[in-house]
Amino acid sequence: NSQLLACGMPITEMNIIRKKVEIGKGGGLVYDLAGAGAGAGANAGAGTPSCTYMTMVLSDVIGDPLDLIASGPTVKDKSTYADAWNLVERYGLEEEGKFSLLSETLDVLRNGRDIEANDNANDNANENQNQEADDARVANSDTVLVGNNALAVTAAAQEAERLGYNPVILGTTIEGEAAHIANVYVSMAEQLQKSASASSTSSFPIASLPAALIAGGETTVTLSPENTGLGGRNQEIGLAAALKLKNCGLRNIVLASIGTDGTDGPTDAAGAVVDGGIIDRIEFYANEHEHEHEHKHLQSGEDALRDHDSYTFLDRSKDEYSGLIKTGATG
């Protein structure tokens, strides 16, 4: 998982690979309940469920593809081993690649691809049998979407309106490098703030102040293999936004970036909340308590962003000035 995250692969593509190397994914849970016990695809056995299974899904994937959310444990896998291997090659995950996966993982993917190719060469006879068996095992499985990004964004807008803000939903399918997206958000907020004063753009404001710009999506953070920083996409958005707010001299703007599942990267934080003064506050606190960090280099905000070490920087002052949001798992 660490290599899939580091290479900048979006979650939809990560889950194509995960479905091929974890038995419980790609319909594997239903297959096991049906008595298959051997997962999906080329290695699946026979078995038909004797009762109906219902899965209630909270989606954190753009577009809500049921076979990719949590890697679709109760949904038939639509992808192939060839699809997974193409991703291995595209992102440099092979043995000699920049983000090489474990040899055991690569063996599973390579062998699955070769078996599929062999089935195709033999008029798809074996593949058709596997597909029919898969269809039978998921026939009594119902999957229901009960929550997603769009619902979360709408709820946030409704709460913002209740609190007296004028909400604007920017979208629910935002994608891209976290730091780049942060800069876009800050630029939008800056323009909104400027539109409140007399200017050539004041006739076309995004919204009336006080306003809340709300968006959802799936950003990424691309890491180098040597990276040792600690953080997550939401914390990186927060740190990048804080630096831009500071550098632009912007005040009275607050940005919060939070994972709906309550976790962000390999940390105990869900995300971050920042303003234009938090960088100075944290750096001031760190310098005042420098004696407590005798053997630890005190990074600047710029250094932390370059090293993708947002958690360490934002948590440096602990509760006093910390920009981290810690909710615990939400579901």
Side-chain angles (χ1 to χ4, degrees), residues 31 87 112 133 139 148 157 202 216 237 274 301 310-311:
Y31 301 155
L87 294 173
N148 61 6
S202 61
I237 287 177
V274 302
S310 52
Y311 181 94

PDB file of all heavy atoms in Angstrom, residues 31 87 112 133 139 148 157 202 216 237 274 301 310-311:
ATOM      1  N   TYR A  31     -17.817 -14.593  -2.476  1.00  0.00           N
ATOM      2  CA  TYR A  31     -17.380 -15.897  -2.970  1.00  0.00           C
ATOM      3  C   TYR A  31     -17.090 -16.837  -1.809  1.00  0.00           C
ATOM      4  O   TYR A  31     -17.442 -18.022  -1.836  1.00  0.00           O
ATOM      5  CB  TYR A  31     -16.125 -15.757  -3.839  1.00  0.00           C
ATOM      6  CG  TYR A  31     -16.297 -14.867  -5.049  1.00  0.00           C
ATOM      7  CD1 TYR A  31     -15.201 -14.235  -5.620  1.00  0.00           C
ATOM      8  CD2 TYR A  31     -17.546 -14.651  -5.619  1.00  0.00           C
ATOM      9  CE1 TYR A  31     -15.350 -13.408  -6.723  1.00  0.00           C
ATOM     10  CE2 TYR A  31     -17.707 -13.833  -6.719  1.00  0.00           C
ATOM     11  CZ  TYR A  31     -16.606 -13.213  -7.271  1.00  0.00           C
ATOM     12  OH  TYR A  31     -16.747 -12.397  -8.358  1.00  0.00           O
ATOM     13  N   LEU A  87      -0.978  -1.159 -15.020  1.00  0.00           N
ATOM     14  CA  LEU A  87      -0.721  -0.144 -13.997  1.00  0.00           C
ATOM     15  C   LEU A  87       0.659  -0.329 -13.378  1.00  0.00           C
ATOM     16  O   LEU A  87       1.354   0.653 -13.077  1.00  0.00           O
ATOM     17  CB  LEU A  87      -1.792  -0.218 -12.910  1.00  0.00           C
ATOM     18  CG  LEU A  87      -3.218   0.142 -13.345  1.00  0.00           C
ATOM     19  CD1 LEU A  87      -4.211  -0.130 -12.228  1.00  0.00           C
ATOM     20  CD2 LEU A  87      -3.292   1.602 -13.779  1.00  0.00           C
ATOM     21  N   GLY A 112      -1.343 -14.220 -12.869  1.00  0.00           N
ATOM     22  CA  GLY A 112      -2.742 -14.007 -13.228  1.00  0.00           C
ATOM     23  C   GLY A 112      -2.884 -13.491 -14.642  1.00  0.00           C
ATOM     24  O   GLY A 112      -3.766 -13.921 -15.396  1.00  0.00           O
ATOM     25  N   ALA A 133     -19.427 -18.675 -13.088  1.00  0.00           N
ATOM     26  CA  ALA A 133     -19.377 -19.007 -11.666  1.00  0.00           C
ATOM     27  C   ALA A 133     -19.434 -17.744 -10.813  1.00  0.00           C
ATOM     28  O   ALA A 133     -20.133 -17.699  -9.788  1.00  0.00           O
ATOM     29  CB  ALA A 133     -18.102 -19.792 -11.359  1.00  0.00           C
ATOM     30  N   ALA A 139     -25.189 -13.325  -7.456  1.00  0.00           N
ATOM     31  CA  ALA A 139     -26.590 -13.142  -7.851  1.00  0.00           C
ATOM     32  C   ALA A 139     -27.464 -12.747  -6.668  1.00  0.00           C
ATOM     33  O   ALA A 139     -28.418 -11.993  -6.810  1.00  0.00           O
ATOM     34  CB  ALA A 139     -27.118 -14.425  -8.493  1.00  0.00           C
ATOM     35  N   ASN A 148     -21.980   9.353   0.354  1.00  0.00           N
ATOM     36  CA  ASN A 148     -20.869   9.602  -0.556  1.00  0.00           C
ATOM     37  C   ASN A 148     -20.381  11.037  -0.419  1.00  0.00           C
ATOM     38  O   ASN A 148     -20.878  11.816   0.405  1.00  0.00           O
ATOM     39  CB  ASN A 148     -21.260   9.285  -2.004  1.00  0.00           C
ATOM     40  CG  ASN A 148     -22.408  10.142  -2.513  1.00  0.00           C
ATOM     41  OD1 ASN A 148     -22.879  11.064  -1.838  1.00  0.00           O
ATOM     42  ND2 ASN A 148     -22.885   9.842  -3.713  1.00  0.00           N
ATOM     43  N   ALA A 157     -22.495  22.375   3.221  1.00  0.00           N
ATOM     44  CA  ALA A 157     -23.079  23.630   2.721  1.00  0.00           C
ATOM     45  C   ALA A 157     -24.312  24.021   3.534  1.00  0.00           C
ATOM     46  O   ALA A 157     -24.515  25.201   3.862  1.00  0.00           O
ATOM     47  CB  ALA A 157     -23.436  23.480   1.244  1.00  0.00           C
ATOM     48  N   SER A 202     -15.741  43.426  -8.985  1.00  0.00           N
ATOM     49  CA  SER A 202     -16.743  43.395  -7.923  1.00  0.00           C
ATOM     50  C   SER A 202     -18.159  43.186  -8.447  1.00  0.00           C
ATOM     51  O   SER A 202     -19.056  42.837  -7.691  1.00  0.00           O
ATOM     52  CB  SER A 202     -16.683  44.695  -7.106  1.00  0.00           C
ATOM     53  OG  SER A 202     -16.957  45.815  -7.937  1.00  0.00           O
ATOM     54  N   GLY A 216     -15.213  18.806  -2.710  1.00  0.00           N
ATOM     55  CA  GLY A 216     -14.816  17.454  -2.343  1.00  0.00           C
ATOM     56  C   GLY A 216     -14.138  16.783  -3.515  1.00  0.00           C
ATOM     57  O   GLY A 216     -14.273  17.217  -4.668  1.00  0.00           O
ATOM     58  N   ILE A 237      -2.611  19.648   1.846  1.00  0.00           N
ATOM     59  CA  ILE A 237      -3.430  20.776   1.389  1.00  0.00           C
ATOM     60  C   ILE A 237      -3.389  21.896   2.425  1.00  0.00           C
ATOM     61  O   ILE A 237      -3.220  23.080   2.092  1.00  0.00           O
ATOM     62  CB  ILE A 237      -4.879  20.331   1.132  1.00  0.00           C
ATOM     63  CG1 ILE A 237      -4.966  19.498  -0.149  1.00  0.00           C
ATOM     64  CG2 ILE A 237      -5.820  21.534   1.030  1.00  0.00           C
ATOM     65  CD1 ILE A 237      -6.349  18.947  -0.435  1.00  0.00           C
ATOM     66  N   VAL A 274      -6.267  25.686   8.875  1.00  0.00           N
ATOM     67  CA  VAL A 274      -5.188  26.677   8.885  1.00  0.00           C
ATOM     68  C   VAL A 274      -5.720  28.058   8.528  1.00  0.00           C
ATOM     69  O   VAL A 274      -6.806  28.199   7.967  1.00  0.00           O
ATOM     70  CB  VAL A 274      -4.071  26.295   7.884  1.00  0.00           C
ATOM     71  CG1 VAL A 274      -3.497  24.923   8.201  1.00  0.00           C
ATOM     72  CG2 VAL A 274      -4.595  26.324   6.443  1.00  0.00           C
ATOM     73  N   GLY A 301       8.173  25.867   7.452  1.00  0.00           N
ATOM     74  CA  GLY A 301       6.995  25.392   6.743  1.00  0.00           C
ATOM     75  C   GLY A 301       7.315  25.005   5.315  1.00  0.00           C
ATOM     76  O   GLY A 301       6.803  24.004   4.800  1.00  0.00           O
ATOM     77  N   SER A 310       4.023  17.243   6.505  1.00  0.00           N
ATOM     78  CA  SER A 310       3.028  18.161   7.039  1.00  0.00           C
ATOM     79  C   SER A 310       2.604  17.813   8.462  1.00  0.00           C
ATOM     80  O   SER A 310       2.382  18.711   9.288  1.00  0.00           O
ATOM     81  CB  SER A 310       1.798  18.197   6.127  1.00  0.00           C
ATOM     82  OG  SER A 310       1.322  16.883   5.881  1.00  0.00           O
ATOM     83  N   TYR A 311       2.483  16.537   8.766  1.00  0.00           N
ATOM     84  CA  TYR A 311       2.044  16.140  10.109  1.00  0.00           C
ATOM     85  C   TYR A 311       3.032  16.617  11.155  1.00  0.00           C
ATOM     86  O   TYR A 311       2.647  17.205  12.176  1.00  0.00           O
ATOM     87  CB  TYR A 311       1.886  14.621  10.192  1.00  0.00           C
ATOM     88  CG  TYR A 311       1.409  14.130  11.550  1.00  0.00           C
ATOM     89  CD1 TYR A 311       0.048  13.930  11.792  1.00  0.00           C
ATOM     90  CD2 TYR A 311       2.304  13.869  12.585  1.00  0.00           C
ATOM     91  CE1 TYR A 311      -0.403  13.490  13.026  1.00  0.00           C
ATOM     92  CE2 TYR A 311       1.864  13.436  13.829  1.00  0.00           C
ATOM     93  CZ  TYR A 311       0.506  13.243  14.039  1.00  0.00           C
ATOM     94  OH  TYR A 311       0.062  12.822  15.262  1.00  0.00           O
TER      95      TYR A 311
END
